[in-house]
Amino acid sequence: MQDHTIERIQQNPKFQELVRKKSGLSWLLSFVMLVIYYGFILVIAFSPATLGQSLSGGVTTIGIPIGIMIILSVFVITGIYVRRANTEFDQLTREVVEDAKK
């Protein structure tokens, strides 16, 4: 790409909005995942008996469904990002590309 085209794109308010929204969402979802993951690790470190309690008197502990929920939370967080990317972010990207072609 030519330098003046790159500068025009970077100065486009829609491009700046796209960068701001993508960055904000990425940081938010990263923070949520870190809280979930490190919260689980902290419970393991400081109160292992909590996750080691039996669910129904058998060998399955509370930690197993919680661990599964943590894994599923990754899919949910990814789905949230993909949904926003396929709707809002793609629309802004198309607008930026159209403005750059002018």
Side-chain angles (χ1 to χ4, degrees), residues 4-86:
H4 71 279
T5 305
I6 293 171
E7 287 178 31
R8 216 172 61 218
I9 291 171
Q10 290 175 339
Q11 292 174 0
N12 186 330
K14 291 178 185 175
F15 176 76
Q16 293 171 359
E17 178 186 0
L18 175 65
V19 170
R20 189 179 85 268
K21 285 183 176 184
K22 283 178 76 171
S23 179
L25 181 63
S26 297
W27 280 110
L28 174 66
L29 295 179
S30 295
F31 177 75
V32 168
M33 193 63 237
L34 287 171
V35 167
I36 291 170
Y37 178 74
Y38 282 107
F40 182 69
I41 298 300
L42 288 171
V43 170
I44 290 171
F46 295 110
S47 183
T50 303
L51 296 177
Q53 294 175 353
S54 176
L55 276 177
S56 61
V59 294
T60 304
T61 64
I62 292 174
I64 292 173
I66 291 175
I68 292 170
M69 287 190 305
I70 290 170
I71 293 168
L72 293 176
S73 70
V74 173
F75 290 105
V76 170
I77 287 173
T78 302
I80 291 169
Y81 184 85
V82 168
R83 180 174 160 82
R84 290 272 310 266
N86 287 340

Side-chain angles (χ1 to χ4, degrees), residues 81-100:
Y81 184 85
V82 168
R83 180 174 160 82
R84 290 272 310 266
N86 287 340
T87 55
E88 184 178 350
F89 300 156
D90 280 355
Q91 179 61 35
L92 281 170
T93 301
R94 282 191 290 276
E95 292 173 9
V96 169
V97 168
E98 288 300 318
D99 288 348

